[in-house]
C-alpha cells in the first residue's frame, strides 16, 4: 500500500498509540485495536450516511513543533510529537444526546485490564456523565470475539475498586452482568447504537 | 519504518486520504486565529474547572507519513501533512446540550468572508443541527475587536445566498442583526456561554 506520492505508509494510529510512546501493550494490541476501530469507523459512516447519528473519532493529538513550506500550497510538518489525549477518542450526537466513549480491545480471555484506561480519560468521562452525556466504553475481547458496551456508571464501580482495592481488571462475567453485549450483524457490522438505545432507556429510568 | 520489535507498521485505511494542504486563508488568518483560539481555550478551561461545561478543541487533523524512534521512549513524527478537517474545531456538552461550533477571525473591517468556511464543515454543522445540537460560529473582527456568535440557522441563510447569488461574505451589520454580540469581560475573558444561553432559549422557542 503506497501513499499517492509513492512513499509507503508507515504509521498506524492504533499501533503508535495515544501517548506516542511504544508501550508493549500498544504493540501487542495494535493489530486488534485496528479492527475494533475500523468497525466503529464503518458504523459511524453508516450512521452519518443514514442520518442516524453524527459520531466521529477525534484526530490523534499531535504537538507540531516545526513546519516547512516548500511551496505556499503544501506545508510539510517535519517535527511533531504525539500528545496524551485529555479526552476520549469518540464523541458526537445521537437523537439529541451527547455521546462520548472510548474503545478498547484486549487479548485477554477472562478479563479486561484497567491499565488500558488513562486517569484523565476517566476524569473526562466523569465530567461528561455529570453533564448528562451518554458515556460508555466499548470493550472487545479479541479471543472471544465479543464486544460489550459498558456504561460509565457501571465502569465507575470497577474503577473505584481498582483505586481502593487494587483489583486491576474487570472479568468477562462482570462485563456480561454490567454491560450490553453487542452482537455482530450485517449492516453495520457493529451496530453499537442498539446498545446505546438500551443504555439511554435504562439511564432515563435510573436518573428519574 | 519498523517497530523496535521489527514489525512493520500497517496501513490504517481510515488515514488514507488526500494530503491536507494549507489553504492560504489558514496562512493569512492563522496568527490572528490564535488569539480568538486562546480566548476560547481559556474559557473552556474555566468552564471545565467550574463544572459549567465540557467543551474541547479537537486536535488538528494531521496525515502522519513517517515516524522516527530515536529511543523507545519518544517518537518523533518527521513527515506529516495537514488534512482538511471534516468537522468543526470545537464540540462538547453544556447543560445536557450537544455543543458544536467553529471559530474564525477576519482582518476585514466590514464583512466576514465565507471563504473561511469549508463546505464539509457546513455539511457537518447541518447534520448536528438536524440532530438537535446547538450549532454556531464564533466570528471575531480583529480590527473592531468584536466577537459575535452566529447561530447555524442564521448562518444557513447567508451560506445559501453565497451558493445561489454568489455573495461571498456576511456584513458586520448582518452579524449584528442575526448574531449575538459577546462583550469581553473579566473572567472568563470571552464568556461565550452567555450567548449560548440566549441561543438555546431562542431556539427552544423557534423549534417548539
Amino acid at each position: 500500500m503506497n501513499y499517492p506520492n509513492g512513499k509507503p505508509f508507515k504509521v498506524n494510529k492504533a499501533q503508535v498509540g495515544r501517548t506516542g510512546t511504544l508501550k508493549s501493550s500498544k504493540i501487542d494490541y495494535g493489530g486488534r485495536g485496528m479492527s475494533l476501530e475500523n468497525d466503529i469507523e464503518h458504523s459511524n459512516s453508516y450512521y452519518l450516511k443514514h442520518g442516524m447519528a453524527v459520531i466521529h473519532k477525534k484526530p490523534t493529538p499531535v504537538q507540531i513543533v516545526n513546519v516547512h513550506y516548500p511551496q505556499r500550497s503544501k506545508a510539510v510538518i517535519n517535527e511533531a510529537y504525539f500528545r496524551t489525549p485529555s479526552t476520549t477518542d469518540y464523541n458526537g450526537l445521537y437523537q439529541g444526546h451527547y455521546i462520548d466513549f472510548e474503545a478498547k480491545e484486549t487479548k485477554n480471555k477472562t478479563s479486561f485490564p484497567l491499565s488500558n484506561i488513562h486517569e484523565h480519560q476517566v476524569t473526562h468521562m466523569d465530567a461528561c456523565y455529570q453533564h448528562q452525556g451518554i458515556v460508555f466504553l466499548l470493550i472487545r475481547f479479541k479471543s472471544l470475539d465479543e464486544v460489550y458496551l459498558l456504561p460509565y456508571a457501571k465502569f465507575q464501580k470497577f474503577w473505584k475498586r481498582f483505586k481502593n482495592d487494587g483489583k486491576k481488571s474487570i472479568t468477562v462475567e462482570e462485563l456480561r452482568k454490567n454491560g450490553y453485549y453487542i452482537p455482530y450483524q450485517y449492516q453495520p457490522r457493529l451496530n453499537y447504537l442498539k446498545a446505546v438505545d438500551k443504555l439511554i432507556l435504562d439511564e432515563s429510568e435510573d436518573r428519574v
Side-chain angles (χ1 to χ4, degrees), chain A:
Chain A
M1 176 66 197
N2 281 342
Y3 197 64
N5 63 7
K7 293 201 182 79
F9 259 103
K10 289 155 185 167
V11 172
N12 163 326
K13 264 187 216 161
Q15 287 176 323
V16 169
R18 296 177 177 69
T19 62
T21 61
L22 279 176
K23 295 232 176 80
S24 61
S25 63
K26 296 297 179 190
I27 294 167
D28 296 340
Y29 291 47
R32 285 180 292 286
M34 279 304 301
S35 63
L36 177 61
E37 186 178 324
N38 286 347
D39 280 339
I40 294 171
E41 207 60 32
H42 176 270
S43 298
N44 290 346
S45 306
Y46 181 93
Y47 294 147
L48 187 63
K49 184 183 168 194
H50 292 80
M52 295 166 68
V54 186
I55 300 167
H56 289 279
K57 185 180 194 300
K58 292 175 195 167
T60 305
V62 158
Q63 178 69 54
I64 297 165
V65 173
N66 192 26
V67 181
H68 174 53
Y69 300 90
Q71 350 151 1
R72 209 164 184 288
S73 62
K74 192 178 187 181
V76 184
I77 300 162
N78 48 24
E79 187 185 356
Y81 301 91
F82 292 98
R83 282 171 25 213
T84 309
S86 52
T87 69
T88 49
D89 272 0
Y90 301 88
N91 77 353
L93 182 58
Y94 173 54
Q95 294 181 350
H97 297 281
Y98 172 87
I99 303 289
D100 200 295
F101 66 96
E102 185 66 21
K104 295 289 183 187
E105 285 197 294
T106 179
K107 61 181 178 181
N108 288 34
K109 290 181 173 57
T110 58
S111 68
F112 172 73
L114 289 167
S115 55
N116 279 310
I117 311 294
H118 298 293
E119 184 81 47
H120 49 263
Q121 290 181 311
V122 178
T123 306
H124 170 74
M125 290 191 283
D126 195 74
C128 292
Y129 182 73
Q130 298 308 326
H131 285 79
Q132 303 154 56
I134 302 298
V135 189
F136 55 89
L137 278 83
L138 289 184
I139 297 170
R140 177 167 180 249
F141 286 88
K142 168 76 174 173
S143 54
L144 309 170
D145 198 17
E146 291 181 1
V147 181
Y148 294 92
L149 182 151
L150 182 64
Y152 174 74
K154 307 285 188 177
F155 166 79
Q156 210 174 20
K157 296 188 311 178
F158 299 114
W159 189 257
K160 280 178 183 162
R161 183 178 67 180
F162 172 40
K163 293 295 163 185
N164 301 335
D165 314 339
K167 193 165 189 316
K168 294 193 176 76
S169 62
I170 305 172
T171 67
V172 179
E173 291 67 30
E174 288 171 330
L175 269 174
R176 287 177 180 148
K177 189 160 169 285
N178 293 274
Y180 304 91
Y181 173 66
I182 305 174
Y184 279 104
Q185 60 170 58
Y186 176 59
Q187 265 298 37
R189 209 167 148 254
L190 188 72
N191 190 2
Y192 69 86
L193 281 184
K194 276 190 182 178
V196 171
D197 288 331
K198 294 177 193 163
L199 170 57
I200 290 172
L201 190 67
D202 294 351
E203 293 213 332
S204 62
E205 288 165 356
D206 297 348
R207 293 190 184 191
V208 165

